[in-house]
Amino acid sequence: MWARRRFLGAVGGLAAAGGLSGCGTAVGQGLTGAEGPRSELAFWHPFTGGDGAQLAAMERPYRRRHPGVRLKPTTMVWGSPYYTKLTLATLSKRPPQVAITHLSRLPTLAASGLLRGITERELAEHGMSPGHFRTSAFRTAHHGGMLYAVPLDTHPFVLYYRTDVAKKAGLLGSDGELADIDGPEKYVDALRAAKEATGAWGASVASVKDPATCWRLFWSLYRQLGAELVADGGRRVVMDTGAAEEVLAYIRRLAVEKLVPPAADGNGGAITLLTSGKAGFLMDGEWQLLAVRGAVGGKFDMRPFPRIFHDGPYACAADSHAFILPKAGSVHAQRAGQALDFVRSMLGSSLDWAKGGHIPAWQPTARSAAYRRLKPQSHYAAAADGAAYDPAAWYAGADSNLYRKFGDVITSVLGGHLRPEPGAARMREGLRELARTEAPV
Amino acid sequence: MSAASGAAPNSQADVGGSGGDGPGAGGAVRARGSRHGRWTAPGMLLPFGVFYVVFLLGPLVYTAVAGFFGGSLVKGGLGRWVGLKNYREALGSADFWSSLGHTFYFTLLTTVPLVLIALVLALLADRFARGRWFFRLAFFAPFMLPSAVISLLFMWIFADEIGLAQGVVKWFGVETPPSWLGDPDWAMISVAAATVWWTVGFNFVLYLAALQEIPAEVHEAAAMDGAGPWQRLRLVVVPMLGRATTLVAVLQLVASLKVFDQIYMMTSGGPDDSTRPSLLYIYQTGFTDGRTGYASTVSLLLFVVILLVSLVWFAMVRRTEKGS
């Protein structure tokens, strides 16, 4: 009996000792809320694609320069799951020291008090100043007058095209560049010529199971009409239903004239149409660059999304990746200095980031000769000037409910299941419903 | 839920029984035994009990409570008390009802074929005296694949322009095949078809086991009484599979009402929300919108619906069993 008790006691003691020593491990920290060793720098990001490999290359110089810091990068799946984990980790006081966000998600994160603000003095201490960043991205990194993020890039919706198809279709100018395709009629003419050259489609765009791409197509055209969507942080709907109708009608026209497939899969299907030569153009984000290059090599080029409408300034849907410092429980757990040091080092490797397709926000790189030599990256770099960010509202932003609601309508209109007029009405109704719903922030 | 709550009293009875009815021995020993026995049963139950409270009862109670608050994913705690506002919103929301409708549609599309096809496959496989293991393995194999693998497989099969399914239909002479996952009329049917292929093996194995329980004498007796093969199947085999059918149907019903994985991966509820089941609606309101209070309310409502459906089903089955 006593022997057994002693035995049990010993086991309990061992378990307790193991638990204490477990503080050093991630599980131990998760259970106890310990801040982890000071030498550790946790970094969360959602780059599972080709850009993830670029990011790993950018971490290398930092590791070399800071052998004393144990950098712990964690890759998670893009979208809502990523933001859920980031939010819950921050709420429960176990956030990473530094993380990536889309600037379109910043209003929600910042308004919820999940982020640590960054002062200009702190930036300066780590060798950064507002002038180092693309103005539009740096402005969008603010919330309520406070800087909450350090922009890494601008990633717009662009136009890919097969140079062989364009040549066959007679769309290339004498300089080997794509001829003027701006304007509603000129663009349709170009797609028609490409369709004749491919014998299948003029262009492809991921319209099925890809509300994000649908949204980007819509938002680019809608902003080119100079129209606004919401005001007051999303509480007031100022949607221009007529403009939305015009955009939807144009999108539908592309399918009716059989220039764009009425349903192309978001899971690689749309890209495959381009890479297999069944479409001459692809409307997609620049981050598909590595995937497209991997499939067709040098037989393609890229340019900014065409200017279809002239009612507003040039616009193409865009977002930015940016570094944030999730609010930690203590100064030691925050390690803001170390985090900003890391951010500065990553920005210094912006050229590697640009190789993955993204347009660097770090101007010393964006203006460098080395970046200008990068092709096709430099061919669409101008798109960043027309970057149209998502409206600031809790229900908007990367992988949001707004994407889903609008994406559904766009998919249905393109596929011919819904006419543009009721489509636009449904968009407005969906938007009003979201605006009416009490904000969770 | 129902399976777990059923298991707890059973295990208590078993453990308590063996403690009390120990092998006969002297009074002193028995006294010590019963003193031990007093703690043996609860002690053995404790690990499961703790697990049950922490991971099942606790969250259930928390969900019920959270449903009365306007909780948010981006803030800690329960949030502000809103009373029945969430319930009013859910019951008045077209999205809630449509997602519930999709859940039932999916259940109908999967449960019926999953029971019938499993039965047919089991009857066929049962005919093989030799090589039965092969069919058992072949039909059961898909069930062992994780939902992510199935979803990826069928996303390629159902893909537009480049997918196998469209190619096959074209080969049969259909000029413009439907966009299997992109057409609101076809998407749920496509997902259901993939699900049937994936999970039919489980029901098949249950049926096969039940078939092997039917004694050969019954077959012989029926044959001697002049019953033909069809009559034997219809009047002898199928009725004798009654209990297996009940089990298969109930398990399938609950599994289908809880559908999430494959739809989340294959269509994300689209196109146009035409494949969004209740669980995905809960996920979207809770995690995409961050409205955890409202999502708790909808979760509880779905829980009640599944509970009611299961109870009604059990009542119906019990009545027919008593009747026969």
Side-chain angles (χ1 to χ4, degrees), chain A residues 84 91 112 209 401 404 408 426 437-438 440, chain B residues 72-74 80 266 272-273 284 287 289 291:
Chain A
T84 303
L91 274 179
S112 314
K209 284 184 302 181
N401 210 339
R404 220 171 40 73
D408 281 344
R426 251 186 64 185
T437 308
E438 196 186 336
Chain B
S72 160
L73 187 69
V74 290
R80 203 165 45 81
M266 287 171 74
D272 212 358
D273 288 341
Q284 284 171 352
F287 292 101
D289 286 356
R291 303 175 61 216

mmCIF file with all atom_site columns, all heavy atoms in Angstrom, chain A residues 84 91 112 209 401 404 408 426 437-438 440, chain B residues 72-74 80 266 272-273 284 287 289 291:
data_model
loop_
_atom_site.group_PDB
_atom_site.id
_atom_site.type_symbol
_atom_site.label_atom_id
_atom_site.label_alt_id
_atom_site.label_comp_id
_atom_site.label_asym_id
_atom_site.label_entity_id
_atom_site.label_seq_id
_atom_site.pdbx_PDB_ins_code
_atom_site.Cartn_x
_atom_site.Cartn_y
_atom_site.Cartn_z
_atom_site.occupancy
_atom_site.B_iso_or_equiv
_atom_site.pdbx_formal_charge
_atom_site.auth_seq_id
_atom_site.auth_comp_id
_atom_site.auth_asym_id
_atom_site.auth_atom_id
_atom_site.pdbx_PDB_model_num
ATOM 1   N N   . THR A 1 84  ? -8.030  33.613 -38.046 1.00 0.00 ? 84  THR A N   1
ATOM 2   C CA  . THR A 1 84  ? -8.611  33.070 -36.816 1.00 0.00 ? 84  THR A CA  1
ATOM 3   C C   . THR A 1 84  ? -7.510  32.695 -35.842 1.00 0.00 ? 84  THR A C   1
ATOM 4   O O   . THR A 1 84  ? -7.562  33.032 -34.653 1.00 0.00 ? 84  THR A O   1
ATOM 5   C CB  . THR A 1 84  ? -9.443  31.822 -37.155 1.00 0.00 ? 84  THR A CB  1
ATOM 6   O OG1 . THR A 1 84  ? -10.431 32.184 -38.100 1.00 0.00 ? 84  THR A OG1 1
ATOM 7   C CG2 . THR A 1 84  ? -10.110 31.285 -35.919 1.00 0.00 ? 84  THR A CG2 1
ATOM 8   N N   . LEU A 1 91  ? -5.375  37.049 -28.593 1.00 0.00 ? 91  LEU A N   1
ATOM 9   C CA  . LEU A 1 91  ? -6.332  37.205 -27.493 1.00 0.00 ? 91  LEU A CA  1
ATOM 10  C C   . LEU A 1 91  ? -5.882  36.441 -26.258 1.00 0.00 ? 91  LEU A C   1
ATOM 11  O O   . LEU A 1 91  ? -6.076  36.895 -25.134 1.00 0.00 ? 91  LEU A O   1
ATOM 12  C CB  . LEU A 1 91  ? -7.701  36.677 -27.924 1.00 0.00 ? 91  LEU A CB  1
ATOM 13  C CG  . LEU A 1 91  ? -8.604  37.634 -28.667 1.00 0.00 ? 91  LEU A CG  1
ATOM 14  C CD1 . LEU A 1 91  ? -9.890  36.928 -29.017 1.00 0.00 ? 91  LEU A CD1 1
ATOM 15  C CD2 . LEU A 1 91  ? -8.885  38.856 -27.809 1.00 0.00 ? 91  LEU A CD2 1
ATOM 16  N N   . SER A 1 112 ? -9.832  46.093 -33.213 1.00 0.00 ? 112 SER A N   1
ATOM 17  C CA  . SER A 1 112 ? -10.075 45.163 -32.115 1.00 0.00 ? 112 SER A CA  1
ATOM 18  C C   . SER A 1 112 ? -8.992  45.270 -31.042 1.00 0.00 ? 112 SER A C   1
ATOM 19  O O   . SER A 1 112 ? -9.029  44.533 -30.063 1.00 0.00 ? 112 SER A O   1
ATOM 20  C CB  . SER A 1 112 ? -10.099 43.728 -32.635 1.00 0.00 ? 112 SER A CB  1
ATOM 21  O OG  . SER A 1 112 ? -10.870 43.640 -33.782 1.00 0.00 ? 112 SER A OG  1
ATOM 22  N N   . LYS A 1 209 ? -15.614 28.718 -57.639 1.00 0.00 ? 209 LYS A N   1
ATOM 23  C CA  . LYS A 1 209 ? -14.932 28.446 -56.378 1.00 0.00 ? 209 LYS A CA  1
ATOM 24  C C   . LYS A 1 209 ? -13.795 29.427 -56.135 1.00 0.00 ? 209 LYS A C   1
ATOM 25  O O   . LYS A 1 209 ? -12.778 29.070 -55.566 1.00 0.00 ? 209 LYS A O   1
ATOM 26  C CB  . LYS A 1 209 ? -14.375 27.022 -56.355 1.00 0.00 ? 209 LYS A CB  1
ATOM 27  C CG  . LYS A 1 209 ? -15.431 25.986 -56.117 1.00 0.00 ? 209 LYS A CG  1
ATOM 28  C CD  . LYS A 1 209 ? -14.799 24.629 -56.013 1.00 0.00 ? 209 LYS A CD  1
ATOM 29  C CE  . LYS A 1 209 ? -14.051 24.325 -57.252 1.00 0.00 ? 209 LYS A CE  1
ATOM 30  N NZ  . LYS A 1 209 ? -13.416 23.054 -57.302 1.00 0.00 ? 209 LYS A NZ  1
ATOM 31  N N   . ASN A 1 401 ? -16.516 37.933 -45.975 1.00 0.00 ? 401 ASN A N   1
ATOM 32  C CA  . ASN A 1 401 ? -17.904 37.672 -46.330 1.00 0.00 ? 401 ASN A CA  1
ATOM 33  C C   . ASN A 1 401 ? -18.309 38.470 -47.569 1.00 0.00 ? 401 ASN A C   1
ATOM 34  O O   . ASN A 1 401 ? -19.085 38.005 -48.398 1.00 0.00 ? 401 ASN A O   1
ATOM 35  C CB  . ASN A 1 401 ? -18.783 38.062 -45.141 1.00 0.00 ? 401 ASN A CB  1
ATOM 36  C CG  . ASN A 1 401 ? -20.027 37.215 -45.070 1.00 0.00 ? 401 ASN A CG  1
ATOM 37  O OD1 . ASN A 1 401 ? -20.429 36.623 -46.069 1.00 0.00 ? 401 ASN A OD1 1
ATOM 38  N ND2 . ASN A 1 401 ? -20.638 37.152 -43.915 1.00 0.00 ? 401 ASN A ND2 1
ATOM 39  N N   . ARG A 1 404 ? -17.395 36.695 -50.662 1.00 0.00 ? 404 ARG A N   1
ATOM 40  C CA  . ARG A 1 404 ? -18.290 35.574 -50.921 1.00 0.00 ? 404 ARG A CA  1
ATOM 41  C C   . ARG A 1 404 ? -19.596 36.070 -51.530 1.00 0.00 ? 404 ARG A C   1
ATOM 42  O O   . ARG A 1 404 ? -20.078 35.553 -52.525 1.00 0.00 ? 404 ARG A O   1
ATOM 43  C CB  . ARG A 1 404 ? -18.547 34.837 -49.619 1.00 0.00 ? 404 ARG A CB  1
ATOM 44  C CG  . ARG A 1 404 ? -18.586 33.324 -49.735 1.00 0.00 ? 404 ARG A CG  1
ATOM 45  C CD  . ARG A 1 404 ? -18.635 32.676 -48.378 1.00 0.00 ? 404 ARG A CD  1
ATOM 46  N NE  . ARG A 1 404 ? -19.496 33.373 -47.445 1.00 0.00 ? 404 ARG A NE  1
ATOM 47  C CZ  . ARG A 1 404 ? -20.815 33.362 -47.490 1.00 0.00 ? 404 ARG A CZ  1
ATOM 48  N NH1 . ARG A 1 404 ? -21.440 32.662 -48.394 1.00 0.00 ? 404 ARG A NH1 1
ATOM 49  N NH2 . ARG A 1 404 ? -21.519 34.039 -46.605 1.00 0.00 ? 404 ARG A NH2 1
ATOM 50  N N   . ASP A 1 408 ? -20.391 35.317 -55.466 1.00 0.00 ? 408 ASP A N   1
ATOM 51  C CA  . ASP A 1 408 ? -21.522 34.482 -55.876 1.00 0.00 ? 408 ASP A CA  1
ATOM 52  C C   . ASP A 1 408 ? -22.281 35.126 -57.028 1.00 0.00 ? 408 ASP A C   1
ATOM 53  O O   . ASP A 1 408 ? -22.634 34.474 -58.007 1.00 0.00 ? 408 ASP A O   1
ATOM 54  C CB  . ASP A 1 408 ? -22.475 34.268 -54.691 1.00 0.00 ? 408 ASP A CB  1
ATOM 55  C CG  . ASP A 1 408 ? -21.965 33.202 -53.751 1.00 0.00 ? 408 ASP A CG  1
ATOM 56  O OD1 . ASP A 1 408 ? -21.066 32.451 -54.166 1.00 0.00 ? 408 ASP A OD1 1
ATOM 57  O OD2 . ASP A 1 408 ? -22.446 33.128 -52.618 1.00 0.00 ? 408 ASP A OD2 1
ATOM 58  N N   . ARG A 1 426 ? -28.929 42.381 -56.060 1.00 0.00 ? 426 ARG A N   1
ATOM 59  C CA  . ARG A 1 426 ? -28.584 41.424 -55.007 1.00 0.00 ? 426 ARG A CA  1
ATOM 60  C C   . ARG A 1 426 ? -27.322 41.851 -54.263 1.00 0.00 ? 426 ARG A C   1
ATOM 61  O O   . ARG A 1 426 ? -27.207 41.666 -53.056 1.00 0.00 ? 426 ARG A O   1
ATOM 62  C CB  . ARG A 1 426 ? -28.382 40.036 -55.611 1.00 0.00 ? 426 ARG A CB  1
ATOM 63  C CG  . ARG A 1 426 ? -29.491 39.083 -55.237 1.00 0.00 ? 426 ARG A CG  1
ATOM 64  C CD  . ARG A 1 426 ? -29.185 37.707 -55.716 1.00 0.00 ? 426 ARG A CD  1
ATOM 65  N NE  . ARG A 1 426 ? -28.005 37.145 -55.078 1.00 0.00 ? 426 ARG A NE  1
ATOM 66  C CZ  . ARG A 1 426 ? -27.486 35.961 -55.433 1.00 0.00 ? 426 ARG A CZ  1
ATOM 67  N NH1 . ARG A 1 426 ? -28.036 35.274 -56.390 1.00 0.00 ? 426 ARG A NH1 1
ATOM 68  N NH2 . ARG A 1 426 ? -26.426 35.495 -54.818 1.00 0.00 ? 426 ARG A NH2 1
ATOM 69  N N   . THR A 1 437 ? -25.685 44.522 -39.933 1.00 0.00 ? 437 THR A N   1
ATOM 70  C CA  . THR A 1 437 ? -25.257 43.593 -38.883 1.00 0.00 ? 437 THR A CA  1
ATOM 71  C C   . THR A 1 437 ? -24.301 44.289 -37.921 1.00 0.00 ? 437 THR A C   1
ATOM 72  O O   . THR A 1 437 ? -23.423 45.033 -38.344 1.00 0.00 ? 437 THR A O   1
ATOM 73  C CB  . THR A 1 437 ? -24.548 42.382 -39.515 1.00 0.00 ? 437 THR A CB  1
ATOM 74  O OG1 . THR A 1 437 ? -25.393 41.843 -40.516 1.00 0.00 ? 437 THR A OG1 1
ATOM 75  C CG2 . THR A 1 437 ? -24.252 41.321 -38.478 1.00 0.00 ? 437 THR A CG2 1
ATOM 76  N N   . GLU A 1 438 ? -24.482 44.011 -36.652 1.00 0.00 ? 438 GLU A N   1
ATOM 77  C CA  . GLU A 1 438 ? -23.634 44.631 -35.641 1.00 0.00 ? 438 GLU A CA  1
ATOM 78  C C   . GLU A 1 438 ? -22.193 44.170 -35.823 1.00 0.00 ? 438 GLU A C   1
ATOM 79  O O   . GLU A 1 438 ? -21.923 42.977 -35.928 1.00 0.00 ? 438 GLU A O   1
ATOM 80  C CB  . GLU A 1 438 ? -24.136 44.223 -34.254 1.00 0.00 ? 438 GLU A CB  1
ATOM 81  C CG  . GLU A 1 438 ? -23.600 45.094 -33.161 1.00 0.00 ? 438 GLU A CG  1
ATOM 82  C CD  . GLU A 1 438 ? -24.007 44.571 -31.790 1.00 0.00 ? 438 GLU A CD  1
ATOM 83  O OE1 . GLU A 1 438 ? -25.027 43.851 -31.702 1.00 0.00 ? 438 GLU A OE1 1
ATOM 84  O OE2 . GLU A 1 438 ? -23.301 44.864 -30.837 1.00 0.00 ? 438 GLU A OE2 1
ATOM 85  N N   . PRO A 1 440 ? -18.501 42.991 -35.177 1.00 0.00 ? 440 PRO A N   1
ATOM 86  C CA  . PRO A 1 440 ? -17.903 42.258 -34.062 1.00 0.00 ? 440 PRO A CA  1
ATOM 87  C C   . PRO A 1 440 ? -16.693 42.984 -33.466 1.00 0.00 ? 440 PRO A C   1
ATOM 88  O O   . PRO A 1 440 ? -16.095 42.489 -32.532 1.00 0.00 ? 440 PRO A O   1
ATOM 89  C CB  . PRO A 1 440 ? -17.486 40.925 -34.700 1.00 0.00 ? 440 PRO A CB  1
ATOM 90  C CG  . PRO A 1 440 ? -17.280 41.240 -36.132 1.00 0.00 ? 440 PRO A CG  1
ATOM 91  C CD  . PRO A 1 440 ? -18.174 42.382 -36.466 1.00 0.00 ? 440 PRO A CD  1
ATOM 92  N N   . SER B 2 72  ? -17.589 38.026 -29.788 1.00 0.00 ? 72  SER B N   1
ATOM 93  C CA  . SER B 2 72  ? -16.815 38.309 -30.997 1.00 0.00 ? 72  SER B CA  1
ATOM 94  C C   . SER B 2 72  ? -15.516 37.540 -30.968 1.00 0.00 ? 72  SER B C   1
ATOM 95  O O   . SER B 2 72  ? -14.914 37.350 -29.915 1.00 0.00 ? 72  SER B O   1
ATOM 96  C CB  . SER B 2 72  ? -16.537 39.803 -31.077 1.00 0.00 ? 72  SER B CB  1
ATOM 97  O OG  . SER B 2 72  ? -15.435 40.033 -31.935 1.00 0.00 ? 72  SER B OG  1
ATOM 98  N N   . LEU B 2 73  ? -15.098 37.108 -32.149 1.00 0.00 ? 73  LEU B N   1
ATOM 99  C CA  . LEU B 2 73  ? -13.853 36.346 -32.246 1.00 0.00 ? 73  LEU B CA  1
ATOM 100 C C   . LEU B 2 73  ? -12.646 37.215 -31.929 1.00 0.00 ? 73  LEU B C   1
ATOM 101 O O   . LEU B 2 73  ? -11.626 36.737 -31.457 1.00 0.00 ? 73  LEU B O   1
ATOM 102 C CB  . LEU B 2 73  ? -13.730 35.784 -33.665 1.00 0.00 ? 73  LEU B CB  1
ATOM 103 C CG  . LEU B 2 73  ? -12.583 34.820 -33.930 1.00 0.00 ? 73  LEU B CG  1
ATOM 104 C CD1 . LEU B 2 73  ? -12.816 33.520 -33.201 1.00 0.00 ? 73  LEU B CD1 1
ATOM 105 C CD2 . LEU B 2 73  ? -12.450 34.559 -35.405 1.00 0.00 ? 73  LEU B CD2 1
ATOM 106 N N   . VAL B 2 74  ? -12.760 38.506 -32.217 1.00 0.00 ? 74  VAL B N   1
ATOM 107 C CA  . VAL B 2 74  ? -11.604 39.374 -32.040 1.00 0.00 ? 74  VAL B CA  1
ATOM 108 C C   . VAL B 2 74  ? -11.555 40.011 -30.652 1.00 0.00 ? 74  VAL B C   1
ATOM 109 O O   . VAL B 2 74  ? -10.709 40.844 -30.384 1.00 0.00 ? 74  VAL B O   1
ATOM 110 C CB  . VAL B 2 74  ? -11.565 40.472 -33.126 1.00 0.00 ? 74  VAL B CB  1
ATOM 111 C CG1 . VAL B 2 74  ? -11.238 39.862 -34.472 1.00 0.00 ? 74  VAL B CG1 1
ATOM 112 C CG2 . VAL B 2 74  ? -12.862 41.218 -33.179 1.00 0.00 ? 74  VAL B CG2 1
ATOM 113 N N   . ARG B 2 80  ? -21.396 41.111 -24.930 1.00 0.00 ? 80  ARG B N   1
ATOM 114 C CA  . ARG B 2 80  ? -22.525 41.818 -24.332 1.00 0.00 ? 80  ARG B CA  1
ATOM 115 C C   . ARG B 2 80  ? -23.762 40.910 -24.323 1.00 0.00 ? 80  ARG B C   1
ATOM 116 O O   . ARG B 2 80  ? -23.988 40.152 -25.255 1.00 0.00 ? 80  ARG B O   1
ATOM 117 C CB  . ARG B 2 80  ? -22.817 43.055 -25.184 1.00 0.00 ? 80  ARG B CB  1
ATOM 118 C CG  . ARG B 2 80  ? -23.533 44.180 -24.500 1.00 0.00 ? 80  ARG B CG  1
ATOM 119 C CD  . ARG B 2 80  ? -23.401 45.455 -25.361 1.00 0.00 ? 80  ARG B CD  1
ATOM 120 N NE  . ARG B 2 80  ? -23.663 45.168 -26.766 1.00 0.00 ? 80  ARG B NE  1
ATOM 121 C CZ  . ARG B 2 80  ? -24.916 45.067 -27.270 1.00 0.00 ? 80  ARG B CZ  1
ATOM 122 N NH1 . ARG B 2 80  ? -25.965 45.209 -26.493 1.00 0.00 ? 80  ARG B NH1 1
ATOM 123 N NH2 . ARG B 2 80  ? -25.088 44.812 -28.557 1.00 0.00 ? 80  ARG B NH2 1
ATOM 124 N N   . MET B 2 266 ? -14.405 21.229 -51.447 1.00 0.00 ? 266 MET B N   1
ATOM 125 C CA  . MET B 2 266 ? -14.741 21.125 -52.873 1.00 0.00 ? 266 MET B CA  1
ATOM 126 C C   . MET B 2 266 ? -15.434 22.360 -53.422 1.00 0.00 ? 266 MET B C   1
ATOM 127 O O   . MET B 2 266 ? -15.159 22.777 -54.539 1.00 0.00 ? 266 MET B O   1
ATOM 128 C CB  . MET B 2 266 ? -15.608 19.886 -53.120 1.00 0.00 ? 266 MET B CB  1
ATOM 129 C CG  . MET B 2 266 ? -14.816 18.591 -53.017 1.00 0.00 ? 266 MET B CG  1
ATOM 130 S SD  . MET B 2 266 ? -15.860 17.131 -53.035 1.00 0.00 ? 266 MET B SD  1
ATOM 131 C CE  . MET B 2 266 ? -16.330 17.061 -54.740 1.00 0.00 ? 266 MET B CE  1
ATOM 132 N N   . ASP B 2 272 ? -22.964 30.218 -55.425 1.00 0.00 ? 272 ASP B N   1
ATOM 133 C CA  . ASP B 2 272 ? -24.132 30.961 -54.981 1.00 0.00 ? 272 ASP B CA  1
ATOM 134 C C   . ASP B 2 272 ? -24.756 30.332 -53.738 1.00 0.00 ? 272 ASP B C   1
ATOM 135 O O   . ASP B 2 272 ? -25.967 30.278 -53.602 1.00 0.00 ? 272 ASP B O   1
ATOM 136 C CB  . ASP B 2 272 ? -25.164 31.008 -56.118 1.00 0.00 ? 272 ASP B CB  1
ATOM 137 C CG  . ASP B 2 272 ? -25.960 32.292 -56.060 1.00 0.00 ? 272 ASP B CG  1
ATOM 138 O OD1 . ASP B 2 272 ? -25.708 33.074 -55.130 1.00 0.00 ? 272 ASP B OD1 1
ATOM 139 O OD2 . ASP B 2 272 ? -26.830 32.496 -56.917 1.00 0.00 ? 272 ASP B OD2 1
ATOM 140 N N   . ASP B 2 273 ? -23.926 29.827 -52.843 1.00 0.00 ? 273 ASP B N   1
ATOM 141 C CA  . ASP B 2 273 ? -24.381 29.229 -51.577 1.00 0.00 ? 273 ASP B CA  1
ATOM 142 C C   . ASP B 2 273 ? -25.252 27.991 -51.775 1.00 0.00 ? 273 ASP B C   1
ATOM 143 O O   . ASP B 2 273 ? -25.927 27.555 -50.849 1.00 0.00 ? 273 ASP B O   1
ATOM 144 C CB  . ASP B 2 273 ? -25.150 30.248 -50.723 1.00 0.00 ? 273 ASP B CB  1
ATOM 145 C CG  . ASP B 2 273 ? -24.211 31.295 -50.140 1.00 0.00 ? 273 ASP B CG  1
ATOM 146 O OD1 . ASP B 2 273 ? -23.002 31.018 -50.088 1.00 0.00 ? 273 ASP B OD1 1
ATOM 147 O OD2 . ASP B 2 273 ? -24.690 32.360 -49.738 1.00 0.00 ? 273 ASP B OD2 1
ATOM 148 N N   . GLN B 2 284 ? -18.863 30.100 -41.228 1.00 0.00 ? 284 GLN B N   1
ATOM 149 C CA  . GLN B 2 284 ? -18.719 31.415 -41.855 1.00 0.00 ? 284 GLN B CA  1
ATOM 150 C C   . GLN B 2 284 ? -19.090 32.544 -40.906 1.00 0.00 ? 284 GLN B C   1
ATOM 151 O O   . GLN B 2 284 ? -18.391 33.562 -40.842 1.00 0.00 ? 284 GLN B O   1
ATOM 152 C CB  . GLN B 2 284 ? -19.587 31.490 -43.110 1.00 0.00 ? 284 GLN B CB  1
ATOM 153 C CG  . GLN B 2 284 ? -18.969 30.731 -44.277 1.00 0.00 ? 284 GLN B CG  1
ATOM 154 C CD  . GLN B 2 284 ? -19.901 30.622 -45.448 1.00 0.00 ? 284 GLN B CD  1
ATOM 155 O OE1 . GLN B 2 284 ? -21.073 30.984 -45.365 1.00 0.00 ? 284 GLN B OE1 1
ATOM 156 N NE2 . GLN B 2 284 ? -19.404 30.121 -46.558 1.00 0.00 ? 284 GLN B NE2 1
ATOM 157 N N   . PHE B 2 287 ? -16.267 32.217 -37.890 1.00 0.00 ? 287 PHE B N   1
ATOM 158 C CA  . PHE B 2 287 ? -14.841 32.420 -38.133 1.00 0.00 ? 287 PHE B CA  1
ATOM 159 C C   . PHE B 2 287 ? -14.538 33.449 -39.228 1.00 0.00 ? 287 PHE B C   1
ATOM 160 O O   . PHE B 2 287 ? -13.557 34.165 -39.125 1.00 0.00 ? 287 PHE B O   1
ATOM 161 C CB  . PHE B 2 287 ? -14.167 31.086 -38.443 1.00 0.00 ? 287 PHE B CB  1
ATOM 162 C CG  . PHE B 2 287 ? -14.133 30.185 -37.249 1.00 0.00 ? 287 PHE B CG  1
ATOM 163 C CD1 . PHE B 2 287 ? -15.042 29.156 -37.110 1.00 0.00 ? 287 PHE B CD1 1
ATOM 164 C CD2 . PHE B 2 287 ? -13.227 30.410 -36.235 1.00 0.00 ? 287 PHE B CD2 1
ATOM 165 C CE1 . PHE B 2 287 ? -15.027 28.349 -35.985 1.00 0.00 ? 287 PHE B CE1 1
ATOM 166 C CE2 . PHE B 2 287 ? -13.203 29.617 -35.112 1.00 0.00 ? 287 PHE B CE2 1
ATOM 167 C CZ  . PHE B 2 287 ? -14.107 28.575 -34.988 1.00 0.00 ? 287 PHE B CZ  1
ATOM 168 N N   . ASP B 2 289 ? -16.806 35.882 -40.240 1.00 0.00 ? 289 ASP B N   1
ATOM 169 C CA  . ASP B 2 289 ? -17.344 37.148 -39.748 1.00 0.00 ? 289 ASP B CA  1
ATOM 170 C C   . ASP B 2 289 ? -16.892 37.441 -38.320 1.00 0.00 ? 289 ASP B C   1
ATOM 171 O O   . ASP B 2 289 ? -16.999 38.565 -37.862 1.00 0.00 ? 289 ASP B O   1
ATOM 172 C CB  . ASP B 2 289 ? -18.881 37.113 -39.768 1.00 0.00 ? 289 ASP B CB  1
ATOM 173 C CG  . ASP B 2 289 ? -19.426 37.242 -41.178 1.00 0.00 ? 289 ASP B CG  1
ATOM 174 O OD1 . ASP B 2 289 ? -18.614 37.434 -42.089 1.00 0.00 ? 289 ASP B OD1 1
ATOM 175 O OD2 . ASP B 2 289 ? -20.647 37.149 -41.344 1.00 0.00 ? 289 ASP B OD2 1
ATOM 176 N N   . ARG B 2 291 ? -18.389 36.453 -35.623 1.00 0.00 ? 291 ARG B N   1
ATOM 177 C CA  . ARG B 2 291 ? -19.532 36.660 -34.708 1.00 0.00 ? 291 ARG B CA  1
ATOM 178 C C   . ARG B 2 291 ? -19.794 35.360 -33.944 1.00 0.00 ? 291 ARG B C   1
ATOM 179 O O   . ARG B 2 291 ? -20.699 34.598 -34.267 1.00 0.00 ? 291 ARG B O   1
ATOM 180 C CB  . ARG B 2 291 ? -20.755 37.080 -35.509 1.00 0.00 ? 291 ARG B CB  1
ATOM 181 C CG  . ARG B 2 291 ? -20.512 38.339 -36.332 1.00 0.00 ? 291 ARG B CG  1
ATOM 182 C CD  . ARG B 2 291 ? -21.696 38.663 -37.202 1.00 0.00 ? 291 ARG B CD  1
ATOM 183 N NE  . ARG B 2 291 ? -22.882 38.917 -36.392 1.00 0.00 ? 291 ARG B NE  1
ATOM 184 C CZ  . ARG B 2 291 ? -24.109 38.567 -36.759 1.00 0.00 ? 291 ARG B CZ  1
ATOM 185 N NH1 . ARG B 2 291 ? -24.301 37.948 -37.891 1.00 0.00 ? 291 ARG B NH1 1
ATOM 186 N NH2 . ARG B 2 291 ? -25.136 38.826 -35.976 1.00 0.00 ? 291 ARG B NH2 1
#
